[in-house]
Amino acid sequence: GIQVEQSPPDLILQEGANSTLRCNFSDSVNNLQWFHQNPWGQLINLFYIPSGTKQNGRLSATTVATERYSLLYISSSQTTDSGVYFCAVEPTGRRALTFGSGTRLQVQP
Amino acid sequence: DSGVTQTPKHLITATGQRVTLRCSPRSGDLSVYWYQQSLDQGLQFLIHYYNGEERAKGNILERFSAQQFPDLHSELNLSSLELGDSALYFCASSVRETFYEQYFGPGTRLTVT
């Protein structure tokens, strides 16, 4: 099946810093999504981005489907950005989501 | 609060037993998705229902089954439980038939002893 690799696995930032999280996938996809799981376990859908660039406040995401990667940018990070960020893909021809192992982000005040 | 409710919040049971997890989607949402999150396997998609019909199947074991009822709530049945089934089980809902714009419930933590 499709492989989804996220990097880095762990990231510690000071408040106000910027960061880039990466998601590589091994095959063509119809759909790519980014999710955030806060320290209390709540999952939130951040972006649906099979290709192109989207922005939502301090967060933006870019997917280059032809090169099989996606990037999540977090600018001016805040402590509330802490948690785990997951990338998930829906492979072409298969209706199922495969998740990466996540990037654990800790933003320190 | 996402508007998606899951019951129970916690469940402790023994190996070999059977449990049922319940999910009520947001008002108006026709899709329900089930996910499993464990330390060993990470986050995994299990199954998707749309308006009562199964739409997609992921890494769901044969010991597990799900259904979506006419009032759109869904149940995930886990049988012949094993220690490795201990995990957080999330459901999510969406107005769409695809995986787009899902809203997640708080999860049910299952502990199998």
Side-chain angles (χ1 to χ4, degrees):
Chain A
I2 194 167
Q3 304 299 310
V4 182
E5 294 182 0
Q6 291 187 242
S7 60
D10 295 280
L11 189 56
I12 301 176
L13 298 175
Q14 291 298 121
E15 209 167 17
N18 302 328
S19 61
T20 301
L21 283 56
R22 188 176 180 104
C23 172
N24 292 333
F25 45 97
S26 62
D27 211 339
S28 63
V29 300
N30 286 334
N31 167 20
L32 185 141
Q33 295 179 284
W34 284 96
F35 299 87
H36 176 228
Q37 186 170 34
N38 69 22
W40 296 271
Q42 179 66 42
L43 274 162
I44 295 171
N45 209 153
L46 294 176
F47 290 103
Y48 172 91
I49 185 163
S51 63
T53 298
K54 288 188 179 179
Q55 181 152 8
N56 185 2
R58 297 179 296 101
L59 273 59
S60 64
T62 295
T63 297
V64 184
T66 52
E67 297 187 21
R68 298 183 182 165
Y69 73 90
S70 182
L71 302 173
L72 179 69
Y73 305 96
I74 305 174
S75 64
S76 304
S77 58
Q78 301 176 357
T79 55
T80 51
D81 295 330
S82 296
V84 183
Y85 290 81
F86 292 100
C87 162
V89 301
E90 184 179 358
T92 300
R94 180 152 193 257
R95 295 200 66 181
L97 276 186
T98 299
F99 287 80
S101 54
T103 291
R104 184 173 298 276
L105 174 65
Q106 184 181 345
V107 181
Q108 297 178 336
Chain B
D1 185 353
S2 67
V4 178
T5 59
Q6 290 187 246
T7 56
K9 288 190 173 145
H10 301 277
L11 197 48
I12 301 174
T13 190
T15 54
Q17 295 299 304
R18 182 179 189 275
V19 297
T20 297
L21 312 185
R22 182 187 169 104
C23 171
S24 294
R26 294 186 320 153
S27 176
D29 284 357
L30 298 177
S31 273
V32 171
Y33 315 80
W34 286 98
Y35 298 89
Q36 179 196 60
Q37 186 174 31
S38 66
L39 287 175
D40 290 343
Q41 303 290 331
L43 197 50
Q44 292 194 96
F45 163 69
L46 296 179
I47 198 162
H48 167 214
Y49 278 84
Y50 177 80
N51 203 21
E53 293 188 4
E54 182 185 303
R55 278 288 188 262
K57 208 172 220 186
N59 299 327
I60 188 166
L61 300 173
E62 285 192 12
R63 300 183 286 108
F64 296 1
S65 64
Q67 54 183 328
Q68 186 180 27
F69 295 86
D71 67 351
L72 300 175
H73 91 273
S74 178
E75 292 181 356
L76 179 67
N77 301 296
L78 315 176
S79 61
S80 303
L81 285 167
E82 302 174 0
L83 295 178
D85 298 327
S86 295
L88 196 50
Y89 291 84
F90 288 102
C91 82
S93 74
S94 171
V95 67
R96 307 284 189 105
E97 193 175 346
T98 63
F99 289 101
Y100 183 70
E101 206 169 7
Q102 298 174 63
Y103 292 85
F104 286 82
T108 291
R109 181 166 294 282
L110 173 67
T111 302
V112 182
T113 62

